[in-house]
Amino acid sequence: MHVPDGFLDAPTSVATGVVAAVGIGLALRGARRELDDRTAPLAGLVATFIFATQMLNFPVGAGTSGHLIGGALAAVLVGPATALLCMSVVFLVQCLLFADGGITALGTNIFLMGIVTVLVGWAVFRGLQMVLPRRVSSVPAAAAGAALVSVPVAALAFVGLYAVGGTVEIPLASLTTAMLSVHALIGLGEAAITFLAVGSIVAVRPDLVFGARRVLATRALELRTAAK
């Protein structure tokens, strides 16, 4: 989903750049509440993992391939604010060192694959946590559901940006169909990777997973109440 230079007009690129800059500024403040000395190293590992897995493509049919975006995964592991910082670093390195996504489109890519996937993924994750059993074992399933939804929503956000400031002559209906069909399949791959990644960490160190904190706190409270 990396947007190249020139695909969107200058006003749209500038607008998404401003939104991305504001989002990063807010994330810098929010990350202070999410990280501590014990979990801070995980942020670097998350950024490294997402960077590496984004380099690995998997086929989704008709000669098309996809790769992990990782917004929902990062939000569950380290919190939404820290996740946005991790994603922004990944896109900056990809842009400057690998020409993956244009420099003028950096704000657009951070907005689409960073802000949108992180916020949507975190919102879906928290919603699923409210309806799933309050057990640590439910965290990977909720994370997978969040990843599944976040990818096509980001694709729709791209279509919306194209409708406002697209510079390439592509029928909007055709673009919408193509983006949703491909990214729905990519979302399935993202959900599987997210489930496995979160599940492997939850199995050994659930205390390091930001999305598991509420479940662990509830369980601790129940144990204290039962002890009394």
Side-chain angles (χ1 to χ4, degrees):
M1 195 187 292
H2 287 81
V3 179
D5 288 325
F7 201 85
L8 299 176
D9 60 21
T12 304
S13 296
V14 170
T16 55
V18 171
V19 173
V22 172
I24 292 172
L26 294 174
L28 285 170
R29 298 179 59 183
R32 299 174 185 175
R33 298 189 297 270
E34 295 174 350
L35 297 176
D36 52 34
D37 294 339
R38 186 182 41 143
T39 58
L42 185 60
L45 294 175
V46 167
T48 302
F49 176 77
I50 291 175
F51 178 83
T53 51
Q54 283 196 2
M55 296 297 179
L56 303 175
N57 291 340
F58 52 83
V60 294
T64 304
S65 63
H67 62 73
L68 176 81
I69 295 178
L73 170 62
V76 173
L77 291 179
V78 294
T82 308
L84 178 55
L85 298 181
C86 293
M87 301 294 289
S88 299
V89 170
V90 169
F91 299 138
L92 179 62
V93 172
Q94 289 176 338
C95 173
L96 296 180
L97 298 184
F98 297 92
D100 201 355
I103 294 177
T104 61
L106 178 59
T108 301
N109 288 317
I110 290 175
F111 170 72
L112 290 173
M113 295 184 288
I115 294 176
V116 173
T117 60
V118 166
L119 293 183
V120 171
W122 181 249
V124 173
F125 175 77
R126 291 292 298 123
L128 290 174
Q129 275 195 316
M130 294 179 182
V131 298
L132 291 174
R134 297 200 175 201
R135 297 195 297 264
V136 175
S137 59
S138 297
V139 173
L148 177 64
V149 174
S150 67
V151 175
V153 170
L156 278 178
F158 167 77
V159 173
L161 291 180
Y162 173 82
V164 172
T167 61
V168 183
E169 292 297 328
I170 302 175
L172 190 60
S174 299
L175 179 64
T176 303
T177 301
M179 289 295 290
L180 281 180
S181 59
V182 169
H183 285 85
L185 294 175
I186 293 174
L188 292 173
E190 178 120 359
I193 295 171
T194 299
F195 180 85
L196 293 174
V198 175
S200 63
I201 298 175
V202 164
V204 292
R205 289 295 302 273
D207 57 303
L208 294 180
V209 178
F210 184 86
R213 289 183 180 180
R214 290 176 181 268
V215 178
L216 294 174
T218 301
R219 187 171 66 178
L221 179 60
E222 291 174 348
L223 289 174
R224 288 197 297 268
T225 303
K228 293 179 180 179

